Amino acid sequence: MKRTMFVSLLLGSMLMACTEIKHPSKNGYAQELKLTQEWDKVFAKSKKVDHKKVTFANRYGITLAADMYIPKDSAGKATKFAAIAVCGPFGAVKEQSSGLYAQHMAESGFLTIAFDPSFTGESGGEPRRMASPDINTEDFLAAVDYLSNLENVDPERIGIIGICGWGGMALSAAALDPRIKATVASTMYDMSRIAAKGYFDMEDSREIRMQQRKMMARQRTEDYKNGTYLRAGGVPDTLSADASSFLKHYHDYYKTSRGYHARSGNSNDGWNVVGTQSFLNYPLLAYADEIESPVLLIHGEKAHSRYFSEHAFEQMTGKNPKTAVWSGNSLFSDNKEFMLVPGAYHTDLYDDFFQKIPYGKLEQFFKEYLK
């Protein structure tokens, strides 16, 4: 039997057997979350938007917590908004960068949500501080499920923004779900690449990957025996004089009043040591070249992580940013664009501290492709 026929028959039988199964958000799988109601963001509340807490469930039955931002004075009006779901950075919470981006985009006229991924922040999922290329991609898709069913959202005009590590997750989601009409990846990390190859691909060897596998295998045995998960540690409280410049930039954001948050893993004790194990095996951008919808990659000119966006753009378009012809600070190929922010480092695009986030470009991009 041909593979395609076998898969079709298998999926058909599964669908027939599951026709009575309801969505998790409709049948009691959704978890009751205790959400902080006071404003506890690291950025000031805008007077131009209304804000409220919302929850929704993903297809694994994990309930996600989100902050919704709606343009002011829209209540009661028959407005169908274009909507944007925002997440990231990797190890951050919605009270940090993603909430800031979401609030700014709501000021520009979009209905937005900034959500905590599964196992982190105020969202559900046990044990805490785990990550998964599959489940975290699903978190974006669940956000689209939720937005698509809101009465004041046009389901044909939904986009997503992924920041830092969630930039890679956003591209994974865009490759998987054609309901996503436009995607922005800002100061992107490809977490699967860095897990398997290390920074700047300096640990790209079979031997080093095997060392990681053995370390995590030993740690899993210990964690099971102890009944707890050992944390890897977030950004260090203090840095040595010879610490890398990008680690110093992380410290200046996550460990100071600029960006510290009590629920942020990066601000505190980090992920579980085995929390990112599966990224070693599952490349997030495997089908990035099949994304048909518009994508905007934004990166700092001086960011240590710039090579992630360079590779993603080349994978999507076949154009090498190092040899292609640029138009000002941008490189174009059909509906894909790679924009460099002059003089910006990686964390400069986390907040408004250095006034580097190109909100005007974001607004222009989404208004063009979510119209």
Side-chain angles (χ1 to χ4, degrees):
M1 183 183 294
K2 292 184 177 180
R3 178 180 179 275
T4 52
M5 184 180 296
F6 175 76
V7 172
S8 297
L9 289 172
L10 178 61
L11 290 175
S13 64
M14 290 171 63
L15 289 171
M16 290 177 64
C18 297
T19 51
E20 298 303 316
I21 300 298
K22 298 179 180 179
H23 188 276
S25 64
K26 304 290 186 183
N27 67 358
Y29 290 153
Q31 180 184 357
E32 187 83 23
L33 300 178
K34 294 181 180 180
L35 304 179
T36 302
Q37 295 303 316
E38 65 269 15
W39 186 266
D40 63 344
K41 322 296 186 229
V42 302
F43 52 90
K45 186 175 182 179
S46 171
K47 296 180 180 179
K48 298 179 181 179
V49 304
D50 292 318
H51 163 266
K52 66 178 180 179
K53 290 289 186 75
V54 299
T55 61
F56 54 93
N58 67 20
R59 68 186 171 103
Y60 294 108
I62 299 172
T63 301
L64 305 182
D67 287 295
M68 179 180 288
Y69 300 88
I70 309 174
K72 205 80 171 178
D73 302 324
S74 62
K77 297 181 180 178
T79 301
K80 285 279 189 179
F81 289 104
I84 303 170
V86 192
C87 193
F90 196 77
V93 289
K94 64 188 182 305
E95 289 73 22
Q96 296 171 312
S97 300
S98 60
L100 178 67
Y101 273 68
Q103 181 171 262
H104 271 290
M105 298 315 296
E107 289 178 333
S108 297
F110 301 92
L111 183 149
T112 65
I113 57 172
F115 64 89
D116 284 329
S118 297
F119 313 111
T120 64
E122 291 189 301
S123 287
E126 296 289 341
R128 308 303 290 166
R129 302 282 176 80
M130 290 292 182
S132 161
D134 176 22
I135 296 175
N136 295 143
T137 296
E138 160 64 18
D139 289 341
F140 262 124
L141 272 55
V144 176
D145 294 342
Y146 172 72
L147 291 171
S148 297
N149 284 278
L150 292 179
E151 291 183 357
N152 58 346
V153 167
D154 181 347
E156 295 300 318
R157 295 191 295 149
I158 296 176
I160 61 174
I161 299 174
I163 306 165
C164 186
W166 253 261
M169 245 73 78
L171 294 184
S172 174
L176 191 59
D177 192 340
R179 295 176 303 168
I180 298 169
K181 304 304 182 184
T183 300
V184 169
S186 179
T187 195
M188 174 196 145
Y189 260 51
D190 177 350
M191 296 309 302
S192 54
R193 180 174 178 177
I194 203 167
K197 300 181 180 182
Y199 277 107
F200 315 112
D201 297 342
M202 292 180 67
E203 298 176 358
D204 184 14
S205 76
R206 177 174 180 167
E207 292 74 21
I208 294 176
R209 279 188 287 275
M210 184 55 68
Q211 290 173 14
Q212 285 198 72
R213 295 179 187 119
K214 290 179 178 178
M215 178 276 290
M216 289 194 178
R218 290 192 298 269
Q219 189 59 51
R220 289 184 67 118
T221 302
E222 284 299 306
D223 288 345
Y224 191 90
K225 180 176 70 175
N226 297 330
T228 58
Y229 284 91
L230 180 68
R231 293 280 166 82
V235 176
D237 292 331
T238 58
L239 300 177
S240 63
D242 61 349
S244 65
S245 60
F246 65 85
L247 186 57
K248 292 176 182 177
H249 293 158
Y250 283 131
H251 184 276
D252 289 345
Y253 179 78
Y254 285 110
K255 304 299 287 192
T256 70
S257 58
R258 176 183 159 197
Y260 176 85
H261 197 279
R263 288 192 294 273
S264 168
N266 291 345
S267 289
N268 297 284
D269 55 0
W271 296 97
N272 298 331
V273 171
V274 300
T276 58
Q277 182 181 27
S278 58
F279 285 91
L280 276 165
N281 265 21
Y282 299 99
L284 282 166
L285 305 188
Y287 294 101
D289 61 316
E290 297 183 10
I291 299 174
E292 296 182 350
S293 57
V295 174
L296 170 63
L297 304 173
I298 301 174
H299 228 109
E301 176 193 18
K302 296 184 177 181
H304 69 281
S305 52
R306 174 176 163 177
Y307 69 100
F308 291 121
S309 286
E310 290 175 339
H311 178 260
F313 186 83
E314 184 173 6
Q315 189 170 352
M316 286 188 292
T317 68
K319 288 187 176 182
N320 184 343
K322 294 180 180 179
T323 58
V325 178
W326 289 66
S327 175
N329 295 321
S330 290
L331 184 60
F332 300 89
S333 181
D334 296 325
N335 60 0
K336 308 298 188 290
E337 181 177 355
F338 179 24
M339 176 186 181
L340 285 179
V341 180
Y345 293 93
H346 181 83
T347 56
D348 291 357
L349 302 187
Y350 277 15
D351 63 0
D352 292 339
F353 190 79
F354 292 101
Q355 300 294 310
K356 293 289 188 179
I357 301 174
Y359 293 116
K361 180 64 180 180
L362 287 163
E363 179 181 352
Q364 176 190 7
F365 174 79
F366 282 117
K367 285 188 174 179
E368 178 179 357
Y369 292 111
L370 298 183
K371 59 187 176 183

